[in-house]
Amino acid sequence: MKVGLALSGGGARGFAHAGVLKVLVENGIPVDMIAGTSAGAFAGGAFAAGMSPDEIAKMCDAIRWRHLARPSLSPLGLLSNAPMARVIERYFPVSTFGECRTPFAAVACDFAKGNEVVFAAGDLAQAIRASCAVPGVFTPLKDTNGRLLVDGGVVSPMPVSAVRAMGADLVIAVDLMACGATFRSHPRTALGLGLQSAMMILRAVSRTQHYDADVVIIPQIAHLRPDQLGKRDEFIALGEQAALEKLETIKSLISNK
């Protein structure tokens, strides 16, 4: 019986994944495979590479936005996430999927076709960058096949199907968007209206993927913005709390399986 972990995107909210992972590890919950989208690909990749939840938290404590992005010269994005590759190369103990201690997949999107692209081999940094390339914000990446790759959240914000395809019998999903966003005010511009509408669509798509998961962990982080890197400790603590609330359910499911 294989336990798979599906980690959603969410920007800085991805710190909550470290809290969830800490609870799973401390309570002996096996994680046999991981699929991650966007911030979930970053956190999931770090764990699959062999980093402990505490090491992931320590890495996150050192990260600032300047370590993840720089201005882009491309007309396809305001920023480039090329600096993210250097963070991954510096902190991750391995550089390729094949070296990971736990089978791992990063989910991106082929922008031209609108198809899910699941990376499970090759360079970790390149795949995670592609999974995190939010359209319009970050410049898309091109792979060796010439595909234009953007954030996997466009088609699969909660990568349950990806981890099922890896062979998971029981899937624990962590959704960082389902709680909503109470910090938002009424939009005052067309851009603000568009952004909030896009987030609503992502939450709706993510919820549809809950049905294929065996248990869904939803950290209560609605009051925190996806750009608040300085709230790392609060994100992690709320991730731990949400995981603890589902712990007995997870143990029961594993026992029954």
Side-chain angles (χ1 to χ4, degrees):
M1 197 271 296
K2 300 294 184 181
V3 178
L5 196 59
L7 305 179
S8 84
R13 289 180 166 192
F15 290 152
H17 288 315
V20 173
L21 288 166
K22 183 177 181 181
V23 170
L24 298 181
V25 169
E26 289 179 347
N27 289 275
I29 304 299
V31 177
D32 299 300
M33 58 203 68
I34 306 170
T37 294
S38 200
F42 190 94
F47 186 72
M51 296 179 69
S52 70
D54 286 340
E55 288 173 331
I56 295 172
K58 187 178 294 185
M59 171 184 67
C60 293
D61 194 37
I63 291 176
R64 302 293 182 269
W65 280 115
R66 67 178 182 274
H67 301 136
L68 302 176
R70 60 172 170 75
S72 170
L73 299 178
S74 170
L76 296 179
L78 298 174
L79 302 170
S80 166
N81 64 9
M84 184 184 295
R86 292 193 290 272
V87 172
I88 293 169
E89 291 163 1
R90 176 181 177 184
Y91 288 100
F92 285 28
V94 303
S95 59
T96 66
F97 283 85
E99 297 172 287
C100 286
R101 295 184 185 180
T102 304
F104 169 63
V107 178
C109 170
D110 179 343
F111 187 76
K113 296 183 178 180
N115 294 338
E116 179 183 78
V117 178
V118 180
F119 289 99
D123 184 75
L124 272 174
Q126 185 76 357
I128 293 171
R129 282 185 58 207
S131 185
C132 294
V134 179
V137 178
F138 292 112
T139 306
L141 275 70
K142 278 190 177 181
D143 67 3
T144 54
N145 297 317
R147 294 179 298 186
L148 202 63
L149 302 173
V150 297
D151 193 304
V154 172
V155 288
S156 185
M158 171 60 66
V160 176
S161 59
V163 79
R164 285 282 186 202
M166 294 171 74
D169 301 302
L170 186 151
V171 174
I172 301 169
V174 185
D175 192 339
L176 306 181
M177 294 179 289
C179 63
T182 59
F183 59 84
R184 294 189 184 279
S185 58
H186 292 297
R188 298 180 180 180
T189 65
L191 176 61
L193 182 66
L195 288 173
Q196 291 195 31
S197 298
M199 290 304 297
M200 290 178 189
I201 293 170
L202 285 176
R203 284 198 297 273
V205 174
S206 183
R207 288 192 191 100
T208 65
Q209 296 176 316
H210 287 188
Y211 298 108
D212 196 30
D214 294 282
V215 60
V216 182
I217 297 172
I218 304 176
Q220 297 306 303
I221 50 178
H223 61 292
L224 298 171
R225 299 196 312 270
D227 64 332
Q228 289 185 295
L229 291 180
K231 298 290 187 178
R232 178 192 73 99
D233 291 341
E234 189 172 356
F235 278 122
I236 292 175
L238 291 171
E240 288 185 48
Q241 180 180 326
L244 285 169
E245 290 171 356
K246 293 287 187 176
L247 187 58
E248 291 307 313
T249 300
I250 294 169
K251 288 181 177 180
S252 176
L253 285 169
I254 291 174
S255 178
N256 290 336
K257 286 280 187 178

